[in-house]
Every structure is written in C-alpha cells, then in structure tokens.
Amino acid sequence: MKKYGIAGILLAVFLAGSLFLPPRIMEWQDRRKIGTSQTEEVQEVVLREQVFMTLTQRLALLDTERQGVDTLALLNGKNFTQETIEAQVLGEIRLLAEQEILKDMDLKSLSFIDATVSFFVDLEDTEKSTMVWYGEALTNEYQLGFQLDDESGKIIRISQVRRKIYNSYTEIAETDSSANIAVAGSSGLGPEELKEIGERWGEYLGCTVTDLGETLMPFYINGIEEQIFRAEAEEMMGKGYSEEEAYRRILAAWGISVSEVKEGRKALLTDEGGETEYCFHSNQEEIINIFPQ
C-alpha cells in the first residue's frame, strides 16, 4: 500500500508540473527573446533615386495581381504623418461631399477613425515606388473606407456604406422597424448619376475621363475569373451574339443575377503617364464605391 501511496504522490506531482511548467517555460522563452534580434533572409531591395510618377503610374503599383511589387507597412508617409493625416483625410472627404461625389453627407458629424500607411516598390525598377494610406471615417449615417495617395494627398479609393447595414461602430436595435424600412426602401444610384460621379471623380484626380458605359460583369470578379469570363464571351460573340447578350448568357450560366451587374459603371481615367480603369458601384447598401480595376 505504501508503494501505491508513493506512486500516487509522484503522479500528482507530475500532473501539477505538466500544468505549471509549460506556461512558465513559455514565459521564460519570451523573456529571453525580449531585447534580442533575429535575422531572416528576404529578397534584397536597393532603392535608387525615385523618379517622378503620375497618378496612373502610381496606381499601377497597387494592382494586387501584379507580380514583382513588394509591400512594407510604415509608421509615417513621406508627406503625411500620424499627426497630419487626419486633417488631410477629413479635408478631402469634405471636398468630395461638396463636389457631390459623396452623397447626403452630414459633415458636422464627420469623424476620423484611423489610418495606416504602406509602401509599394517595383522590384524590377526600384526607382518606382509609392505610399498609400488606408483607413476609415464615420458620420452619423455612413461608414467611409478610403485609400489616400501620400504623394498627391488625394483620395484614390472610397466607399460610402450605410451604417444601418454595416453598423461596426454603432448598435441599432433589431426591433427598430423605422430604420429597417428606411434601408429596405433605399436604392442605389442610377447609371446617369454614376456617369456624372465618374466625370467629377476624374476632375478631382486631375485626369481626362472617358466613360465606358455600364459594367457587363460583377465588380467582385477577380482577374483570373475575368479572363475566363471574357474568353467565354468572345467565343459566344464569335457565334453571332452581341456583346451584351453574350455577357447575359454567361452570367446566367454562372448563376449571377443581372441586377448585380447593372449596379455599376466604368470610366477610363487618363493622364500623361497612362490610363486606369475605375469602377463606380452603387446599391441599397453602398451609396457609392469607387475603386480602380
């Protein structure tokens, strides 16, 4: 019996140690890491003197599907810092509201939430780089997501979303039928309104605008899917279908509602450095979502 008692005590000590030691060991390892540095092998990037780039050239570096572009998170940009970015963002949002690119904005309730900046560099030509701020702002009615070009101080992407739909920063009771009815009865902007916004957006960015008409495919289709979609469309057009009819048939085959497509419009923005295609999307949830393709 004495042997069993000793074995039981040893087992209890072992179990207690198994619960106590791992966290202690992890804490000890963490304390050892504090104040030490580690080296990881990454691709060497040697920045050369930066060349002047137009807005469309800087936007090309932000293409998520482009190869050979490296990204680095920064604390501050070249022209704006954590102390100055708020004033710049709020000033640009007010300007977009005054130009009626943003709709129905209560500027008195406009507030800044946060912003972080990222650095983009072309690994094949390190003379080419850009910095972009990403962040959010709010009004009583809307949540605003933005990207701001550190070079020009201009907002290059923005979305205006009803907070009654996405209430990340405010709570609306599910029983508030008046709010639900207001959202349910809302609709997005029409094609002509989106066309006007596209023209104003080009003026805001200082670019020449060529309207490309309504979008023929959903804005959320990624690059690979778009290539497949267009290839199927060209094959159908080769059989005698018009472009719009070919796109409609493919949408139906892919199980996508035509209404999802009619919520957007495209415009081509051109400056002396090249061109960028922008999409302007709107529905009952988003008053406007403006983004480069």
Side-chain angles (χ1 to χ4, degrees):
M1 291 295 292
K2 187 176 181 179
K3 292 182 179 180
Y4 289 118
I6 293 173
I9 292 172
L10 291 175
L11 179 60
V13 171
F14 174 76
L15 290 175
S18 67
L19 295 174
F20 176 79
L21 286 178
R24 293 301 181 185
I25 292 173
M26 292 176 68
E27 290 177 9
W28 174 73
Q29 290 176 333
D30 289 341
R31 284 196 298 271
R32 287 192 61 192
K33 290 180 180 179
I34 295 174
T36 64
S37 61
Q38 293 180 332
T39 302
E40 294 183 6
E41 291 187 7
V42 297
Q43 180 175 346
E44 182 180 11
V45 178
V46 179
L47 290 179
R48 294 178 287 170
E49 184 177 353
Q50 300 298 285
V51 298
F52 170 78
M53 298 176 65
T54 68
L55 178 63
T56 59
Q57 290 171 332
R58 294 196 298 275
L59 287 173
L61 289 179
L62 308 184
D63 185 351
T64 56
E65 296 179 13
R66 175 172 173 168
Q67 300 295 319
V69 175
D70 201 5
T71 307
L72 177 67
L74 301 177
L75 179 61
N76 294 307
K78 181 179 70 172
N79 294 316
F80 300 100
T81 67
Q82 293 292 336
E83 288 71 34
T84 61
I85 190 62
E86 177 177 350
Q88 182 66 23
V89 167
L90 295 181
E92 294 302 306
I93 289 176
R94 291 188 180 98
L95 181 59
L96 293 177
E98 291 170 2
Q99 295 181 356
E100 295 188 353
I101 293 172
L102 299 175
K103 300 291 187 179
D104 189 30
M105 289 284 289
D106 176 15
L107 295 177
K108 292 182 179 179
S109 67
L110 178 63
S111 63
F112 177 84
I113 299 302
D114 62 14
T116 58
V117 61
S118 292
F119 175 74
F120 296 80
V121 60
D122 189 332
L123 297 178
E124 296 179 358
D125 186 356
T126 55
E127 292 181 345
K128 298 178 180 180
S129 66
T130 191
M131 298 181 188
V132 176
W133 291 85
Y134 298 78
E136 292 182 305
L138 292 175
T139 69
N140 288 337
E141 295 293 328
Y142 302 110
Q143 180 174 333
L144 304 167
F146 65 83
Q147 294 178 12
L148 182 139
D149 174 36
D150 185 81
E151 182 69 27
S152 65
K154 296 285 188 179
I155 288 176
I156 55 176
R157 175 171 184 166
I158 194 161
S159 62
Q160 180 185 359
V161 182
R162 299 180 192 276
R163 290 179 68 185
K164 289 184 174 66
I165 298 292
Y166 296 111
N167 51 346
S168 301
Y169 299 96
T170 186
E171 293 184 0
I172 295 179
E174 295 180 359
T175 56
D176 187 351
S177 59
S178 61
N180 295 332
I181 292 173
V183 173
S186 303
S187 60
L189 303 175
E192 289 305 312
E193 289 179 284
L194 290 177
K195 181 179 179 180
E196 292 175 1
I197 287 177
E199 293 170 351
R200 296 184 193 125
W201 184 253
E203 293 175 2
Y204 166 73
L205 293 181
C207 296
T208 302
V209 182
T210 304
D211 182 57
L212 302 181
E214 296 179 15
T215 56
L216 294 175
M217 67 176 66
F219 72 93
Y220 51 77
I221 286 183
N222 63 36
I224 296 176
E225 292 172 337
E226 181 176 345
Q227 292 177 12
I228 297 173
F229 196 104
R230 292 189 186 279
E232 292 183 8
E234 290 176 2
E235 183 179 350
M236 294 196 71
M237 286 187 285
K239 298 177 181 179
Y241 292 99
S242 67
E243 182 181 26
E244 183 173 356
E245 182 61 24
Y247 275 66
R248 285 180 177 273
R249 287 178 174 270
I250 297 170
L251 288 172
W254 285 30
I256 300 173
S257 171
V258 175
S259 63
E260 295 181 60
V261 179
K262 291 299 182 180
E263 295 168 348
R265 199 171 184 93
K266 296 186 295 183
L268 194 65
L269 274 62
T270 308
D271 62 19
E272 60 270 26
E275 58 186 29
T276 298
E277 185 175 295
Y278 260 92
C279 282
F280 303 82
H281 185 260
S282 179
N283 58 30
Q284 71 172 9
E285 299 177 6
E286 295 177 329
I287 296 297
I288 187 69
N289 187 358
I290 302 173
F291 53 96
Q293 284 285 73

